[in-house]
Amino acid sequence: MSLHYTEQGNLTGEAILYLHGSGMAGWSWQDVISRLPQYHNIAVDLPGHGASHTIQAQTLNDMAQSVADFIVETIPNRKVHIVGLSLGGIITLELLRYRPDLVTSAVVSGVNAIPLPFMTKLMVQLMMPLMKNDFFIRQNASMFQLDDESSALYFDSMKQLDMTTLKSIMPEIVNYSPAEQLRGIHVPILFVAGNEEQNINVESVALLANAMEQAVGVLAPNMHHGWSGENPVLFAEMIKKWIANKEIASGLDVMVDKHQQLVSG
């Protein structure tokens, strides 16, 4: 069974595959995609999520393999640019480890590359039984600063979320530390986090960018974890600049720029 997806923009243009965060679905990219009509924009629902909720995964690698199979089947003989947020960012990194030959470049936002502290892991474990609670979902929607339309879509996505898949991959997510496995991968990648995210995500930007040969690490000032919805204009500009010329969009703060060092060297 193939992943559910939608596509927009110029279907003969360069392909961008968008991977959403946990509990979300492809709809969460609409405000970004609408600002990039020159590209072939493809937003998938990851295994266990949205309209792909009946497709289960046991591991992060399972999810990455599903995405790899999707690329091969849906846009054969073409490489793609990947844009991943949170869980989608982690799957992007797993895809780079598993099938880097399918990826032209990547933008990865809001991932942890350091295992979470014990108390945070405990909090995640305690929250799991509440994931489908109406009040909990609405509080999350408010925290993500979603408008009324997006809040309704988020509510539906959370109700569809396959908890078996989420519970299976969560131990990997809270202990995620991929930096050493990424060394030697020759794909230009932009790592980013909102500077108002949790410290682990901010610290992970430099850690990951320093682990790869063609990587850049930046922070988005005054932005939070779901900043693709908080400032879709800047997020879309960041994607466009990176894909076109491996440039950094104005308004982002540079932490690490190994790509420029490579070009200059």
Side-chain angles (χ1 to χ4, degrees):
M1 186 181 298
S2 185
L3 299 174
H4 177 270
Y5 71 99
T6 58
E7 54 186 347
Q8 298 178 50
N10 178 9
L11 301 188
T12 62
E14 293 184 72
I16 307 177
L17 182 64
Y18 298 84
L19 306 181
H20 59 79
S22 177
M24 300 283 193
W27 60 263
S28 61
W29 290 108
Q30 182 55 40
D31 285 345
V32 172
I33 287 173
S34 66
R35 291 170 169 83
L36 297 168
Q38 66 271 45
Y39 296 106
H40 181 184
N41 298 293
I42 306 167
V44 302
D45 292 357
L46 290 169
H49 292 73
S52 301
H53 68 275
T54 58
I55 303 173
Q56 293 189 333
Q58 297 297 315
T59 65
L60 293 175
N61 186 256
D62 286 347
M63 299 189 86
Q65 288 193 43
S66 292
V67 172
D69 291 343
F70 172 84
I71 295 170
V72 171
E73 293 166 5
T74 308
I75 35 179
N77 305 315
R78 292 176 64 189
K79 288 188 174 185
V80 299
H81 303 280
I82 308 284
V83 178
L85 172 69
S86 194
L87 171 62
I90 290 176
I91 302 309
T92 301
L93 298 183
E94 290 300 294
L95 181 65
L96 286 170
R97 291 175 57 190
Y98 172 60
R99 289 296 305 272
D101 58 297
L102 297 175
V103 183
T104 301
S105 72
V107 175
V108 169
S109 182
V111 304
N112 63 287
I114 306 166
L116 302 185
F118 171 78
M119 289 305 296
T120 306
K121 291 179 184 177
L122 180 60
M123 187 181 304
V124 169
Q125 186 175 353
L126 292 174
M127 286 194 305
M128 292 292 278
L130 302 173
M131 295 288 283
K132 291 185 178 277
N133 176 272
D134 290 4
F135 177 77
F136 180 86
I137 295 172
R138 293 192 176 99
Q139 287 296 107
N140 269 357
S142 176
M143 181 183 69
F144 291 144
Q145 302 182 5
L146 300 178
D147 59 26
D148 289 346
E149 182 181 356
S150 295
S151 293
L153 292 168
Y154 176 68
F155 188 90
D156 291 342
S157 293
M158 287 296 291
K159 289 295 186 179
Q160 288 179 309
L161 181 62
D162 177 58
M163 292 304 296
T164 300
T165 293
L166 187 64
K167 288 176 181 177
S168 295
I169 63 174
M170 191 56 69
E172 288 187 82
I173 293 173
V174 299
N175 290 297
Y176 199 57
S177 54
E180 287 302 317
Q181 289 76 26
L182 293 171
R183 297 187 190 279
I185 294 175
H186 305 286
V187 174
I189 182 166
L190 178 67
F191 292 103
V192 58
N195 73 340
E196 298 296 327
E197 293 194 42
Q198 60 180 343
N199 287 337
I200 282 180
N201 288 1
V202 173
E203 293 169 8
S204 293
V205 168
L207 176 65
L208 289 166
N210 279 314
M212 299 185 68
E213 295 181 6
Q214 300 184 56
V216 174
V218 299
L219 294 179
N222 306 312
M223 293 292 112
H224 301 83
H225 186 57
W227 75 279
S228 57
E230 194 175 2
N231 191 341
V233 174
L234 179 57
F235 206 101
E237 183 67 12
M238 173 182 69
I239 293 170
K240 182 173 69 174
K241 290 283 189 182
W242 183 249
I243 287 177
N245 298 303
K246 304 303 172 287
E247 294 178 353
I248 301 167
S250 298
L252 299 174
D253 296 332
V254 180
M255 298 179 72
V256 178
D257 191 348
K258 295 181 71 178
H259 186 270
Q260 184 59 41
Q261 293 171 17
L262 183 68
V263 172
S264 301

